[in-house]
Amino acid sequence: MTFVRTPAVARKPRIGLVAGGLGAYWPQFPDLLPQLERSAARVTERMREFDAEVVDIGFISDAQEGAAAAEKLRGADCDLIVGFLTTYMTATMLVPIAQRSGAPVLLINLQPTESMDHASFDTGAWLAYCGACPLPEMANAFERVGVPFRSVSGHLEDELAWQRIGRWIRASGVRSVLRNGRHGLMGHLYPGMYDVSTDLAMVPGNLGGHVEVLEFDDLRVRVEQVKDDEVAAKLTETREVFDIAGSVVEDDLAWAARVSVGLDRLVADFDLDSLAYYHRGLDTEIHERLGAGMILGSSLLTARGVPACGEYELRTSLAMLIADRLGAGGSFTELQALNFRDGVVEMGHDGPGHLAISERKPLLRGLGVYHGKRGRGVSVEFDVRHGPVTLLGVGQTRDGRYKLVASEGKVVGGPLLKIGNTTSRVDFGCDPGEWTDAWSASGVAHHWALATGSLLPDLRALAGLTGLELVEVSA
């Protein structure tokens, strides 16, 4: 089944694009500017292939035009500025853009082809290949005015270079979602979990965005308004997405579907990009029943790009959001057991999972008890798609700073528990105990996101744009 993302996650990064070269060359070499403008047009064409809004302000030739471009880009409210160095240009042309735009700047040096034709080239033809010349100058100037420097060098049809450019664009999209995101936090802390406790001011302080403090009553009133035909439609969707185990009680499934519809409304009404929740409840009263009925709806939301996780784990819902926006899913995860015979770490979680990255059709299993939690109902069971995976957590240091913690491994097949949990067997290429000690010492905390693919290159770019530390845990 294809999961359609909600409007809250349809926001695209806005990329400002400016190309430039030294105007003194144009009267000296009449054929040079037209060639560079053709290169700039090709860059614009390639940039528009990315899943982003591109604001192209054209070609600049001197410091005055650079200052005017800076004002245009500042007004465009871009998430990333890409400066295309077509040939030599002075730092005075780009420093105002870097200083005034309010966005990170990526400089790209893409010469027309892989190499020059040395036998036939004159000075004008060579200058079209001279985009590398100003890079050290820009780096030095950026350092002296306090602007982070980053660049990609290659040629116009260099796919490796375009992959690197795409990495920066994806990172800028994640940065934008974090800076502009609305993150729901509903219920209360799981008693005693110090590591989960989050100072809400630190979210905008480190990442930007807004934390919307919700109560389970915000969900309760919406669930009360759900009509029977909406429950029926949600049940139809559920049976398309899941295999249903014989242990599922129909009344529990219907309640989970009703809560799921209420969750959809909650997310829409508050325009949420993520949600973390927990409520203990007592003696089967309504709030306990709501808390116990969250797993189905949270899993469906997560698959649609609105990560939802339990145990009030706000920083993990943020990690899941990062992984999802990088196109890698991101399922709510913790350590479960170590398998020294097979050399794998078993990890996953009870409760919601990211259905879109399941290895198989996910299973709904009925549980008469949720371990460590009150209530009963249906829970999700699957393992993450086999192959390369990345673990991503958001840690918090003693002084309140956030850091990204990541490790790459490989999900492999093998026996799994059948207890209504998401469980994956991850091989890190080393002794499971040694890896677990290193991971635990990283400051990652109790939970993290388990995502598909190799994300470290993208996470390095994200760390570079956000200023967050990236801790890489390896064998």
Side-chain angles (χ1 to χ4, degrees), residues 310-366:
E311 296 182 16
Y312 213 61
E313 243 295 22
L314 174 60
R315 294 197 312 279
T316 295
S317 61
L318 293 171
M320 293 165 63
L321 182 64
I322 292 170
D324 185 83
R325 293 307 184 275
L326 291 175
S331 199
F332 188 37
T333 303
E334 66 183 1
L335 293 172
Q336 293 177 321
L338 307 183
N339 188 325
F340 292 95
R341 181 188 60 209
D342 296 340
V344 298
V345 179
E346 298 184 32
M347 58 180 67
H349 212 284
D350 64 313
H354 200 308
L355 308 178
I357 61 171
S358 174
E359 168 68 14
R360 52 194 165 85
K361 190 172 184 180
L363 177 75
L364 273 184
R365 189 178 295 279

Side-chain angles (χ1 to χ4, degrees), residues 66-91:
E71 293 306 308
K72 292 178 182 177
L73 289 170
R74 181 167 64 176
D77 189 27
C78 295
D79 299 305
L80 179 71
I81 305 298
V82 177
F84 176 26
L85 311 182
T86 65
T87 185
Y88 175 72
M89 55 194 299
T90 63

Side-chain angles (χ1 to χ4, degrees), residues 137-152:
E137 176 178 339
M138 298 301 171
N140 181 278
F142 278 26
E143 168 67 21
R144 292 164 71 179
V145 300
V147 173
F149 174 81
R150 55 190 69 86
S151 68
V152 172

Side-chain angles (χ1 to χ4, degrees), residues 112-351:
T113 63
E114 291 177 299
S115 65
M116 295 185 291
D117 183 353
H118 298 81
S120 65
F121 270 32
D122 60 12
T123 302
W126 156 59
L127 287 172
Y129 285 72
C130 201
C133 179
L135 270 178
E137 176 178 339
M138 298 301 171
N140 181 278
F142 278 26
E143 168 67 21
R144 292 164 71 179
V145 300
V147 173
F149 174 81
R150 55 190 69 86
S151 68
V152 172
S153 292
H155 60 89
L156 281 177
E157 305 305 331
D158 183 351
E159 292 307 318
L160 178 60
W162 281 108
Q163 287 175 21
R164 295 170 62 201
I165 292 167
R167 193 174 297 146
W168 287 109
I169 291 175
R170 286 192 299 275
S172 75
V174 175
R175 176 179 178 270
S176 175
V177 167
L178 295 173
R179 286 170 61 85
N180 299 291
R182 293 175 54 82
H183 313 295
L185 188 61
M186 184 170 69
H188 63 79
L189 183 71
Y190 188 100
M193 295 183 74
Y194 285 159
D195 66 305
V196 171
S197 177
T198 298
D199 180 345
L200 301 192
M202 290 297 97
V203 175
N206 283 276
L207 304 173
H210 167 75
V211 178
E212 185 72 20
V213 177
L214 303 168
E215 299 183 9
F216 260 75
D217 284 324
D218 291 311
L219 176 61
R220 175 184 58 80
V221 296
R222 288 165 175 81
V223 171
E224 289 172 349
Q225 296 166 359
V226 174
K227 296 180 172 55
D228 289 344
D229 62 335
E230 295 175 299
V231 174
K234 184 64 70 172
L235 286 171
T236 298
E237 177 188 359
T238 298
R239 291 189 171 95
E240 291 176 356
V241 172
F242 293 92
D243 285 332
I244 311 295
S247 57
V248 170
V249 177
E250 282 300 317
D251 286 347
D252 291 342
L253 182 59
W255 173 248
R258 187 174 296 274
V259 173
S260 179
V261 176
L263 274 172
D264 292 345
R265 291 182 179 172
L266 183 81
V267 166
D269 289 347
F270 289 97
D271 192 28
L272 299 181
D273 294 285
S274 68
L275 175 66
Y277 67 88
Y278 176 75
H279 187 85
R280 181 168 53 187
L282 291 169
D283 298 330
T284 69
E285 52 85 37
I286 184 61
H287 297 93
E288 179 185 301
R289 294 190 65 216
L290 288 168
M294 293 280 291
I295 296 172
L296 171 63
S298 295
S299 297
L300 291 170
L301 280 173
T302 301
R304 296 201 329 254
V306 183
C309 69
E311 296 182 16
Y312 213 61
E313 243 295 22
L314 174 60
R315 294 197 312 279
T316 295
S317 61
L318 293 171
M320 293 165 63
L321 182 64
I322 292 170
D324 185 83
R325 293 307 184 275
L326 291 175
S331 199
F332 188 37
T333 303
E334 66 183 1
L335 293 172
Q336 293 177 321
L338 307 183
N339 188 325
F340 292 95
R341 181 188 60 209
D342 296 340
V344 298
V345 179
E346 298 184 32
M347 58 180 67
H349 212 284
D350 64 313

